[in-house]
Amino acid sequence: MAKGIAVGYENAVEQREPVNLRVTGTIPSWLTGRLYRTGPGTFDVPSSKAASGVVNLKHWFDGLGMSHCFEITPSGEVTYRNHSTALGLQSLYEEAGKVPGVTFGQQDPCETIFSKFFTAFKQLGADALDQRGPDGVNVSVTLTPDMPGFASHHAAPSGSSSGGPRYIISKSDYNALQMLDPDTLRPLHAYTYESLDPRLDGSTSAAHSCLDKETREFYNFTLKFGSAPTYKVFRIRPLSTPDPESGKDYEVDILAEIKNAPAAYIHALTMTEKYVVLCLWQAEFTFVEASIGKWKSKQPSTFYVIDRHAGGIVAKYETPPFFAFHYINAYDSNDDVVIDLAVYDDHRILGLLQLETLRSGAPTPLARARRFVLHDVRNQSPGTTRQAKVVYTLPPSSSIELSTVHPALYHKPYRYAYGMNKEDFSKSAGFADRIIKLDMSAPDSEPKTWSIPGIAPGEPIFVPRPGSSPETQEDDGILLSVVLDGETQKSMLVMLDAKDMKEVARAQMDTHFPFGFHGVFSAPRA
């Protein structure tokens, strides 16, 4: 048994039937609904074919998927269930006694820090997915309830018993999608973006897509490798009436193609009300897309600004190099675009997420919030590249990762960001040890934090109080975070008042919750 918080990187116990958690404190009466989360749940696969009797996965990103659901009832009870979502793939590991193909954790002959993960999926098409079955893929980074493009699919269930989403689509950084039942979390079908439109034939995509909550338009990109790598930024629009010829209830538009940029590992893109923004930070694939090359201190990162509605690249900006996983938010400001990113000085963090390093508790850096402004987007001459302005970069004490904002203010002007934080890069063990609230409008102000000695938090999800105004009461709500107690080696769902970052309630589990990635809160429909 791993000691302390290292147990968060050990296999989780599958719990397919909901169990009641022990609640202490007072859950606000308005806080009802489901918190869905996903991430790795199995890191070591028993196998009689393996020399050691176990197939050991090496990197945090290699862990086999598990999805989770915490349901908060009107009576103030909290139930929990989970479901392993890559059991078919796990069976392949067991039968082979090793990981077929390649993964994040393997090192290549060039000794670069990224593995040959994506080469395993270069030829992964719809037929291959059908042969593998719905749980034959490992797709467990982000979740999109009722993503457009699947409502008429035969695998889509008729609805959720909670009045929530009809289905959930799980996404990752390669071109594969997995439909989950919102009640049981059981994998129902596996897809590629190419199955929605044959033009979306790239090998990789962004786990963090963009969704307009009002129009339900979905935005992402695919990247096709080759001598001339091609990024296709696309939109999926739901149709009120299915197309009479195809029967499809959605339409795919290619908004832009980028063919003059290197192929890179890009985990996210962002958008505003006017634009989609794809930033190609430095994480270039090399060695026939087998790894990420060495850091180049003089190679800039580039923002491509694309018209969200009419399509086409309207502006291009450069900035000194950085690496990132996640955007914090972005929005229009008159003719400017404001972009907040959680940045790293370089891409060393990819190598530091090896499970051996994380289990050891070795200190690792965490991203810092940086604000960019892209000035006068519409006044840029075609073909020119301008400099993005760096407005501020917050200090390490205000580090932030897996950040979230008020759900109504994504892609709009906002003030507060919430995320995981590290008190001291040089001393703090594990990936993060606090939850932080940043006032992005006042970067010099002292941030608010919540922590308990010996605990490790997960991504905080902001749930606004019904009836509160996003513009005037932006922090009126509750933060939900799944937290691991290193002393008891058990986890709990913690609920914090977002205004003062004080705990109001917790729901205690009898097992540990594996350190995962992202989640989404679904309130019952009115």
Side-chain angles (χ1 to χ4, degrees):
M1 174 65 72
K3 300 299 181 182
I5 62 172
V7 73
Y9 302 103
E10 299 294 331
N11 290 359
V13 177
E14 195 171 33
Q15 178 64 52
R16 295 193 179 185
E17 295 300 321
V19 293
N20 287 303
L21 305 186
R22 298 187 303 277
V23 175
T24 58
T26 303
I27 299 176
S29 59
W30 56 263
L31 183 59
T32 60
R34 292 178 175 179
L35 174 66
Y36 293 102
R37 290 197 54 81
T38 193
T42 299
F43 302 94
D44 301 294
V45 180
S47 171
S48 60
K49 302 291 183 63
S52 64
V54 179
V55 178
N56 300 117
L57 304 178
K58 304 298 184 182
H59 197 281
W60 191 18
F61 295 174
D62 287 338
L64 296 175
M66 175 177 277
S67 290
H68 312 258
C69 178
F70 295 85
E71 182 162 9
I72 305 173
T73 71
S75 61
E77 295 179 318
V78 179
T79 65
Y80 168 76
R81 74 191 308 161
N82 65 42
H83 201 299
S84 295
T85 55
L87 290 176
L89 191 59
Q90 181 174 322
S91 295
L92 293 179
Y93 293 5
E94 294 172 359
E95 294 169 4
K98 62 179 182 179
V99 179
V102 286
T103 65
F104 268 94
Q106 296 176 5
Q107 298 293 318
D108 63 38
C110 295
E111 297 183 347
T112 46
I113 63 173
F114 199 83
S115 71
K116 304 175 185 179
F117 177 74
F118 291 114
T119 61
F121 309 103
K122 291 170 70 173
Q123 304 301 322
L124 188 62
D127 292 341
L129 289 180
D130 286 338
Q131 292 174 7
R132 290 189 178 198
D135 61 358
V137 291
N138 193 26
V139 188
S140 56
V141 181
T142 60
L143 301 171
T144 299
D146 293 334
M147 175 181 157
F150 303 100
S152 60
H153 193 275
H154 68 85
S158 57
S160 166
S161 64
S162 70
R166 181 181 170 192
Y167 56 86
I168 298 173
I169 299 296
S170 188
K171 309 186 303 301
S172 186
D173 287 320
Y174 67 97
N175 192 349
L177 305 163
Q178 187 181 51
M179 179 184 286
L180 305 178
D181 184 294
D183 289 333
T184 66
L185 306 177
R186 180 172 64 90
L188 300 173
H189 203 83
Y191 314 81
T192 63
Y193 285 112
E194 191 174 0
S195 66
L196 296 178
D197 189 298
R199 295 174 294 174
L200 305 180
D201 56 351
S203 300
T204 72
S205 60
H208 289 271
S209 53
C210 296
L211 182 72
D212 187 313
K213 291 182 179 296
E214 296 176 0
T215 66
R216 300 300 298 174
E217 293 176 337
F218 177 94
Y219 298 81
N220 205 339
F221 75 87
T222 60
L223 166 61
K224 187 174 184 177
F225 296 118
S227 57
T230 301
Y231 296 85
K232 294 180 181 178
V233 179
F234 65 90
R235 171 182 61 203
I236 303 175
R237 295 187 295 122
L239 300 177
S240 56
T241 303
D243 181 87
E245 294 185 6
S246 67
K248 294 180 178 179
D249 57 1
Y250 65 92
E251 186 170 68
V252 175
D253 301 304
I254 306 296
L255 299 179
E257 293 190 16
I258 300 169
K259 297 183 177 182
N260 58 351
Y265 167 56
I266 305 298
H267 186 63
L269 76 168
T270 192
M271 73 179 189
T272 68
E273 293 188 327
K274 298 178 183 177
Y275 308 107
V276 179
V277 181
L278 175 62
C279 183
L280 300 185
W281 43 72
Q282 194 179 142
E284 294 179 23
F285 291 103
T286 62
F287 195 62
V288 196
E289 300 93 47
S291 60
I292 284 183
K294 293 182 179 179
W295 188 257
K296 301 174 184 177
S297 60
K298 295 183 179 180
Q299 180 174 307
S301 297
T302 305
F303 293 95
Y304 293 84
V305 185
I306 299 157
D307 190 306
R308 236 187 87 179
H309 307 287
I313 298 171
V314 296
K316 183 178 172 183
Y317 296 80
E318 289 184 348
T319 186
F322 65 86
F323 175 76
F325 289 113
H326 303 115
Y327 290 88
I328 299 172
N329 203 8
Y331 58 91
D332 299 308
S333 178
N334 297 319
D335 293 328
D336 300 338
V337 171
V338 178
I339 298 175
D340 293 335
L341 268 159
V343 304
Y344 294 86
D345 293 337
D346 54 39
H347 54 34
R348 287 182 304 124
I349 186 63
L350 285 168
L352 295 174
L353 298 181
Q354 297 280 349
L355 288 169
E356 182 180 3
T357 302
L358 294 170
R359 288 166 177 162
S360 73
T364 55
L366 209 62
R368 295 183 291 157
R370 179 172 296 169
R371 171 159 289 185
F372 299 89
V373 173
L374 312 182
H375 284 298
D376 298 325
V377 171
R378 286 292 179 181
N379 294 328
Q380 186 173 183
S381 300
T384 63
T385 301
R386 298 166 63 183
Q387 292 297 307
K389 179 181 179 181
V390 176
V391 180
Y392 61 76
T393 303
L394 296 186
S397 59
S398 296
S399 62
I400 190 167
E401 255 298 6
L402 278 68
S403 59
T404 55
V405 305
H406 192 299
L409 297 180
Y410 273 113
H411 321 309
K412 297 179 181 180
Y414 77 114
R415 180 176 178 183
Y416 298 115
Y418 312 91
M420 298 164 59
N421 171 265
K422 219 169 184 176
E423 184 174 10
D424 188 330
F425 280 8
S426 63
K427 297 179 182 179
S428 297
F431 188 68
D433 54 25
R434 302 193 298 184
I435 295 176
I436 194 168
K437 174 185 181 181
L438 298 178
D439 187 340
M440 302 297 286
S441 67
D444 295 329
S445 62
E446 185 70 20
K448 290 183 170 65
T449 61
W450 173 88
S451 64
I452 298 175
I455 65 96
E459 173 194 53
I461 300 292
F462 179 81
V463 183
R465 182 177 60 82
S468 62
S469 167
E471 290 77 20
T472 61
Q473 300 168 294
E474 185 179 335
D475 58 353
D476 186 5
I478 293 291
L479 291 178
L480 301 176
S481 178
V482 184
V483 173
L484 175 62
D485 186 327
E487 181 176 352
T488 65
Q489 296 195 321
K490 296 179 180 179
S491 298
M492 52 190 165
L493 176 63
V494 171
M495 304 167 211
L496 309 177
D497 187 319
K499 287 184 178 179
D500 57 16
M501 298 295 286
K502 302 295 184 183
E503 182 179 332
V504 299
R506 64 174 63 177
Q508 183 68 52
M509 302 173 63
D510 289 325
T511 58
H512 81 275
F513 183 98
F515 290 128
F517 303 133
H518 300 284
V520 62
F521 185 80
S522 174
R525 289 191 294 267

